[in-house]
């Protein structure tokens, strides 16, 4: 029997009655863009995150693009991010006319390296430093980046902090005020509701979360034609809105999100325990960080052998991501070269995402680990510091998305 990478049908079974009732409400209100469903979702997601405002937009890429614009970042500015992420993180920076500047990741967590960020900022001559306006850390695979420390660095260098929380719905991190949700600590947090996300719609969707009323106002204006009223416009904005059908689905799934994330954490700890004797190198979950396990990622220099064994056994898996962004053709104009970001390149060469979803059962976990074991015996080989760049084909499933 095939083992799925994500199981959206399993989610649908749990929410179908609730969504059917909401769909009736959508059709009787005939309010298909914005309206009651979207407003309710924004309020409920803000409550879930414990943040002042959530503004729903059309997708996660727009959430990043519009959040940056709302914070005053634009043409000619520079924005620091990581190369080990989905293209949209950098594309949103490019789309506002700004230039992405990469810093490397921490090899243990896959998230932005604080020493790399600090040494990059300190190495810039004063006139170049002025162009840098914001930091966009990514909570990769659902594990929060070191956002408390990043906020301190952002304040020290007078930079805006925009969290790419597109993979981190419900992930939490310890702060001086207790555990806080990823996406609520920076100036703005950006979410994607692409179907395969922990909180996924039945199409595209996104949101910006913020504790700053003024930023929320600007995001709303930018995402809805700069509207003051139906035909009064303060700026020429964009059409980037969530529709009511997606909002109705998201409201139903939001009620399940805590439980589903908890189940993902159970799957993750089973994987960790069963994989412990192997040289599988799961991404670390440091003390004080609570991943929402959007993905469960192992690392191996035998990655391609493990992947082939899984695919042969009809177990879906993925590579997130096979080519770091500084080596993507779309960003070649930035002038980076292979070797510039060794930790990102090493992760791209060794990373493998195992099936991960709330409906994965014990048998499926066991079978997956058994197959991994056949290709990955108790290895004593050292983990490569700077592996060669081998061209790995992109693997994904229709629903795994970015
Ligand atoms: C890290 C990251 N950033 C940004 C995005 C963009 O989100 P969307 O596909 O909704 O535009 C995604 C998702 O797909 C993502 O994984």
């Amino acid at each position: 029997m095939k083992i799925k990478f994500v199981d959206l049908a399993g989610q649908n079974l749990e929410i179908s009655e609730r969504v059917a009732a909401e769909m009736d409400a959508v059709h009787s209100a005939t309010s298909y863009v914005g309206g009651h469903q979207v407003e309710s979702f924004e309020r409920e997601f803000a409550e879930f995150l414990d943040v002042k405002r959530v503004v729903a937009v059309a997708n996660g890429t727009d959430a990043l693009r519009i959040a940056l614009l709302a914070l005053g970042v634009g043409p000619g500015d520079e924005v620091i991010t990581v190369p080990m992420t989905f293209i949209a993180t950098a594309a949103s920076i490019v789309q506002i006319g700004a230039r992405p500047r990469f810093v490397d990741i921490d090899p243990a967590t896959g998230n932005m390296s604080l020493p790399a960020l600090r040494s990059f900022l300190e190495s810039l001559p004063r006139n170049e430093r002025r162009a840098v306006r914001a930091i966009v850390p990514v909570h990769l695979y659902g594990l929060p980046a070191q956002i408390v420390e990043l906020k301190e660095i952002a304040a020290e260098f007078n930079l805006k902090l925009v969290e790419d929380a597109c993979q981190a719905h419900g992930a939490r991190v310890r702060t001086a005020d207790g555990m806080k949700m990823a996406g609520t600590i920076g100036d703005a947090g950006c979410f994607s509701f692409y179907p395969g996300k922990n909180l996924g719609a039945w199409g595209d969707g996104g949101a910006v979360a913020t504790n700053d009323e003024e930023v929320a106002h600007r995001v709303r204006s930018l995402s809805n034609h700069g509207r003051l009223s139906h035909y009064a416009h303060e700026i020429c904005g964009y059409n980037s809105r969530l529709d009511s059908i997606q909002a109705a689905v998201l409201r139903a799934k939001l009620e399940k999100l805590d439980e589903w994330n908890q189940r993902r954490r159970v799957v993750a700890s089973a994987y960790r325990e069963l994989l412990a004797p192997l040289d599988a190198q799961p991404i670390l979950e440091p003390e004080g960080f609570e991943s929402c396990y959007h993905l469960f990622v192992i690392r191996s220099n035998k990655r391609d052998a493990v992947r082939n064994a899984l695919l042969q056994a009809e177990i879906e898996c993925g590579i997130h991501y096979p080519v770091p962004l500084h080596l993507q053709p779309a960003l070649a104009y930035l002038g980076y070269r292979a070797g510039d970001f060794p930790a990102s390149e090493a992760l791209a060469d060794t990373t493998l995402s195992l099936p991960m979803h709330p409906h994965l059962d014990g048998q499926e976990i066991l079978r997956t680990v058994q197959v991994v074991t056949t290709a990955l015996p108790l290895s004593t080989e050292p983990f490569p510091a700077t592996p060669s760049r081998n061209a790995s084909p992109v693997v994904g499933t229709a629903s795994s998305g970015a």
Side-chain angles (χ1 to χ4, degrees), residues 34 37 51 70 72 116 133 144 174-175 229 243 264 267-268 302 337 359 361:
Q37 292 292 337
V51 73
R133 298 290 315 286
R174 190 182 296 143
T175 72
S229 63
D243 67 66
R264 285 175 184 267
V267 172
K302 296 197 173 71
R337 304 214 170 288
H359 299 91
D361 67 33

Side-chain angles (χ1 to χ4, degrees), residues 59-61 64 85-86 88-89 138 164 166-167 192-194 197 204-205 321 402:
N59 53 66
T61 314
L64 287 161
T85 176
F86 181 56
T89 312
V138 180
D164 183 337
C166 287
Q167 303 185 357
S192 162
F193 304 124
Y194 184 80
K197 304 293 183 186
D204 278 310
Y321 299 90

Side-chain angles (χ1 to χ4, degrees), residues 53-109:
R53 291 272 171 254
V54 163
V55 181
V57 296
N59 53 66
T61 314
D62 278 5
L64 287 161
R65 179 170 64 113
I66 290 172
L68 285 165
L69 288 171
L71 287 163
V73 185
D77 292 337
E78 299 192 346
V79 178
I80 302 171
T81 190
V82 284
M84 194 52 183
T85 176
F86 181 56
I87 184 79
T89 312
S92 62
I93 297 167
V94 173
Q95 286 164 14
I96 61 165
R99 186 179 183 88
R101 301 291 303 259
F102 293 122
V103 297
D104 212 351
I105 55 166
D106 174 342
T109 63

